[in-house]
Amino acid sequence: MNGEWITGLTRGGAHWTPTFVTTLDGNRCIGCGRCFKVCPRQVFDLKDRESVPGLLGSEDGEDDWEEDGFSDDPHMVMIIHNADDCIGCAACSRVCPKRCHKHAPWPM
Ligand code: SF4
Ligand code: SF4
């Protein structure tokens, strides 16, 4: 895939192909903030659901604190704010409890 997609090297010199974040399904998102915290490039922004067009309405409910310190917030939603700074590490998908993100290699 070299020459076709953006690729990188590991410290050991092995080639790898980053999978950049392409979409975030706001209708699945529970506003927990896990992807925001783990992202090393400030790609995400947490918004009031009412301010983001095209989403289902917010559900009534209390913030739901989990053991790892994050809380679900039915009034908030994560958005992709700064896609061009993504390095394609896919850490956001590993921590998301609702599998909101999609990723893909990117052409050079
Ligand atoms: S793939 Fe990595 S850099 Fe890109 S949005 Fe997810 S956590 Fe941030
Ligand atoms: S980790 Fe998933 S559910 Fe939590 S804010 Fe990010 S996209 Fe939404």
Side-chain angles (χ1 to χ4, degrees), residues 42-53:
Q42 293 81 48
V43 169
F44 300 114
D45 196 11
L46 191 62
K47 295 282 195 188
D48 194 314
R49 289 189 83 85
E50 305 297 330
S51 71
V52 178

Side-chain angles (χ1 to χ4, degrees), residues 24 29-35 78 95-98 100-101:
L24 191 163
C29 177
I30 54 174
C32 70
R34 288 177 175 87
C35 60
M78 199 65 69
V95 297
C96 179
K98 302 300 281 186
C100 295
H101 312 82

